[in-house]
Amino acid sequence: MMQLTLEIVAKTLFGADVGDHADDVGEALDAVLALAADPIFMFFPFLREMPIPSVKRYRRGIAKLDAIIFGVIEKRRAGKQEEGNDLLSMLLHAKDEDGSRMSDRQVRDESLTLFLAGHETTALALSWTWLLLSQHPEVDKKLATELSDVLGDREATLADLPNLRYTNQIINESLRMYPPAWSMGREACEDVVVGGYLIPRDHQVWFCPWAIQRDARWFEAPDEFRPERWENDFQRTLHRYAYFPFGGGPRFCIGQSFAQMEAVLLLATLAQRFRVEVLPKPAPTPDPTVTLRPKHGLRVRLCRRA
Ligand code: HEM
């Protein structure tokens, strides 16, 4: 799933330019994220300056990503590469109110942010969805019926989205039970009172979709996987922050529509052809680091749909 969403975000951001480097990019990102997500480096930031193996891998990862991204930017700026209808072209052409354009460094930073934010979360959403479908054959069967009714043998396209209602409900329910961004926090830059509580300057507040989205005050039988609960505009009846897999407020996920569209189309396209059985070993245990990953990955058996 990671490889798939990485290739998709690479193509959306850089057109075909990064396609050939997808493996390199995946490897480099792994090294960068391993260090970024390691609590040891969060608590003891000075360790980032030490010549230890994980720091060296991190530095090599950043250098590789820079080489690829700056390389693509340079080719585009020099006009050696055909302009695409991708996000990189938009960033290169974007102008501020005063007419100035972004520097290469800014374009690199923006692209890398989207690159990082834009693939692992979607890959995790899909992975947990496979687990839930594997544990609930009745839901999988209903999904197969919808795919066969709406699509028959042809490929899913954007135009099918409004008709893939159950597929969409499955994704909503999976994001409720296994939110890839399971927890997020803010730090007060000055004393502030929120909901009657004083939050002193420099203190952090963390909020946890994993806990809130499994709270019986908002969701009946919260630990049960029930995509049907999303029928009849259920979301509209909820408190705005009872369900927030994409965050909220000014830092709300910028990729939400893209991710939702991508997840539904990928689930439809793959589930049309395959049923996925998640094998019992290694046990699929959630590992709450920066994102919610399955601790040892998921081992699956792919069964071709009749
Ligand atoms: C299922 C998939 C996704 C989930 C669950 C998800 C979740 C989130 C959440 C919870 C936040 C807010 C973090 C916070 O408030 O601290 C966020 C921010 C962000 N997301 Fe996503 N995301 C997903 C897909 C994507 C995609 C596909 C992209 C880009 C193509 C993307 C780009 C971003 C960016 C750039 C931010 C930072 C926005 C800002 O700080 O202004 N995300 N995402």
Side-chain angles (χ1 to χ4, degrees), residues 186-188 190-200 203 205 207:
R186 298 288 184 271
E187 195 170 287
E190 55 188 59
D191 288 2
V192 59
V193 175
V194 179
Y197 293 90
L198 170 69
I199 301 164
H203 283 230
V205 179
F207 25 94

Side-chain angles (χ1 to χ4, degrees), residues 32 55 65 70 95 101 104 117 123 144 178 184 195 208 211 215 219 257 269-270 281-282 284 297:
V32 172
V55 172
L65 289 173
F70 281 127
K95 274 190 197 160
R101 291 186 196 264
D104 284 1
Y178 291 93
M184 48 200 122
C208 184
D215 187 322
F219 300 96
S257 315
T269 305
L270 296 169
K281 283 188 185 162

Side-chain angles (χ1 to χ4, degrees), residues 73-263:
I73 294 173
E74 195 186 303
K75 272 194 211 159
R76 290 278 177 98
R77 289 234 199 258
K80 286 183 205 152
Q81 201 80 34
E82 217 171 282
E83 285 286 323
N85 179 21
D86 51 33
L87 209 102
L88 182 66
S89 308
M90 291 184 205
L91 292 175
L92 289 171
H93 287 117
K95 274 190 197 160
D96 231 330
E97 284 110 19
D98 65 4
S100 61
R101 291 186 196 264
M102 286 190 202
S103 67
D104 284 1
R105 180 85 205 174
Q106 284 171 315
V107 173
R108 172 268 193 200
D109 287 353
E110 294 294 334
S111 338
L112 207 51
T113 302
L114 288 166
F115 216 82
L116 288 172
H119 79 286
E120 181 180 340
T121 39
T122 315
L124 291 175
L126 284 163
S127 303
W128 292 118
T129 304
W130 294 125
L131 174 68
L132 289 163
L133 287 173
S134 167
Q135 291 167 334
H136 297 85
E138 72 293 352
V139 175
D140 183 72
K141 212 164 154 195
K142 212 168 146 184
L143 168 67
T145 307
E146 173 169 280
L147 297 178
S148 144
D149 291 350
V150 175
L151 304 171
D153 284 339
R154 65 174 178 79
E155 278 183 14
T157 69
L158 201 58
D160 294 309
L161 278 183
N163 299 323
L164 295 170
R165 294 166 65 102
Y166 194 60
T167 317
N168 194 46
Q169 286 166 14
I170 291 174
I171 295 292
N172 281 349
E173 183 68 345
S174 165
L175 288 171
R176 180 184 74 79
M177 296 189 73
Y178 291 93
W182 67 281
S183 171
M184 48 200 122
R186 298 288 184 271
E187 195 170 287
C189 46
E190 55 188 59
D191 288 2
V192 59
V193 175
V194 179
Y197 293 90
L198 170 69
I199 301 164
R201 185 192 154 142
D202 294 339
H203 283 230
Q204 293 185 353
V205 179
W206 284 77
F207 25 94
C208 184
W210 169 276
I212 294 173
Q213 295 177 180
R214 284 173 180 251
D215 187 322
R217 280 178 295 174
W218 321 111
F219 300 96
E220 199 187 305
D223 291 327
E224 281 178 25
F225 177 56
R226 287 190 189 169
E228 289 77 6
R229 72 170 90 237
W230 297 96
E231 276 166 13
N232 303 323
D233 265 347
F234 170 61
Q235 193 162 349
R236 279 176 192 268
T237 67
L238 281 174
H239 184 283
R240 202 165 144 227
Y241 289 110
Y243 179 73
F244 59 116
F246 293 100
R251 308 239 72 95
F252 182 74
C253 175
I254 205 173
Q256 187 243 341
S257 315
F258 182 90
Q260 198 104 20
M261 167 191 77
E262 183 188 11

